[in-house]
Amino acid sequence: MTGYIQVNLQDMINDLGEMKTKDIISSFECPLNKDVEDFLKYKSIEFSRQSLSKTYLVFASYRDKPVLCGYYTLANKFIHISKNEVSKTMQKRIAKFAQYDAPTKKYVLSALLIAQLGKNYNKNCNKLITGDELLKMACDRVRNIQYLVGGKIGYIECEDKEKLIDFYSDNGFVNFGKRELDKDETDMMSGKYLIQMLRYF
């Protein structure tokens, strides 16, 4: 994974200004997932400003120029994990960082969410990076944050599509539940819920 530059969106805004930053991210296209494209173009700056999440732009060198090839977004969330949805080994790991709610038989814990992950398909920039490489960058960032503040759990939410689930499974994530789509998500995604998958780092 040499040759990539990761830039915190907020740093870019501070250095280049909001208008120039918007111009850079306006080139991002992700026909496979319009929610990923919509978030970066229309929500990421405000979410970053309010510290609701932090977005990292990934640039690759192409013909001696940096081009936007992908991005990922991280956020800190509370999640509920049912005992019945994970293995006993995972239960023991989770228990170190969670509170157990006996009535619901669920663990409640704060965890880092890889909230967005996508490649830029504009002008074939998606060919400059693999999905595995982009996800590894996001996971490495999660590890770095956990090194500073503690914690061992990270998670993702994805549509109930076999290809997506296999992709995250191959990268060490395990299914732990479902979350119903929010009203503002139904226009961008298929189905009525998202699959939740976690990884112990």
Side-chain angles (χ1 to χ4, degrees):
M1 277 195 314
T2 58
Y4 296 109
I5 300 172
Q6 300 179 58
V7 180
N8 186 311
L9 180 63
Q10 189 60 55
D11 289 338
M12 179 175 284
I13 295 168
N14 294 341
D15 292 342
L16 301 179
E18 189 169 319
M19 292 302 295
K20 179 62 176 176
T21 300
K22 283 183 176 179
D23 184 54
I24 292 170
I25 64 178
S26 69
S27 68
F28 187 89
E29 294 179 3
C30 189
L32 300 179
N33 190 328
K34 295 305 288 184
D35 178 63
V36 169
E37 181 178 330
D38 182 76
F39 178 84
L40 182 61
K41 288 182 174 179
Y42 307 114
K43 299 177 183 178
S44 61
I45 290 176
E46 187 59 29
F47 275 49
S48 182
R49 183 182 289 117
Q50 295 184 30
S51 289
L52 298 174
S53 63
K54 292 298 178 181
T55 293
Y56 296 86
L57 306 176
V58 180
F59 293 87
S61 179
Y62 181 67
R63 293 181 179 175
D64 296 326
K65 291 184 179 180
V67 294
L68 178 61
C69 60
Y71 86 96
Y72 60 89
T73 299
L74 304 181
N76 194 38
K77 298 281 186 178
F78 275 97
I79 53 174
H80 299 78
I81 302 173
S82 173
K83 283 184 70 173
N84 300 328
E85 294 294 333
V86 293
S87 68
K88 289 187 177 181
T89 300
M90 186 61 74
Q91 287 179 38
K92 290 179 181 178
R93 290 175 169 177
I94 291 170
K96 297 176 184 177
F97 305 96
Q99 289 185 335
Y100 183 67
D101 183 50
T104 61
K105 296 183 179 180
K106 290 184 177 181
Y107 296 98
V108 182
L109 71 153
S110 174
L112 286 168
L113 166 67
I114 301 174
Q116 300 287 349
L117 184 86
K119 297 196 292 180
N120 184 10
Y121 284 78
N122 187 11
K123 297 180 180 179
N124 292 320
C125 290
N126 59 299
K127 294 181 180 179
L128 299 174
I129 192 169
T130 68
D132 289 335
E133 287 174 319
L134 189 60
L135 181 57
K136 185 179 186 305
M137 290 179 190
C139 289
D140 287 346
R141 182 80 59 179
V142 169
R143 285 193 190 93
N144 290 339
I145 294 169
Q146 290 173 338
Y147 177 79
L148 294 172
V149 303
K152 294 289 284 185
I153 306 295
Y155 77 107
I156 60 93
E157 295 178 332
C158 69
E159 292 180 86
D160 190 2
K161 295 180 178 179
E162 185 176 357
K163 189 174 181 179
L164 283 174
I165 294 170
D166 287 346
F167 168 69
Y168 287 111
S169 295
D170 290 344
N171 282 280
F173 288 81
V174 295
N175 193 325
F176 73 89
K178 298 177 181 178
R179 177 180 68 79
E180 288 188 13
L181 291 176
D182 295 330
K183 287 183 179 179
D184 63 342
E185 295 175 314
T186 54
D187 292 339
M188 294 286 176
M189 300 181 189
S190 60
K192 297 181 179 180
Y193 59 87
L194 294 175
I195 298 294
Q196 296 177 304
M197 303 178 73
L198 67 82
R199 179 173 167 180
Y200 184 86
F201 290 94

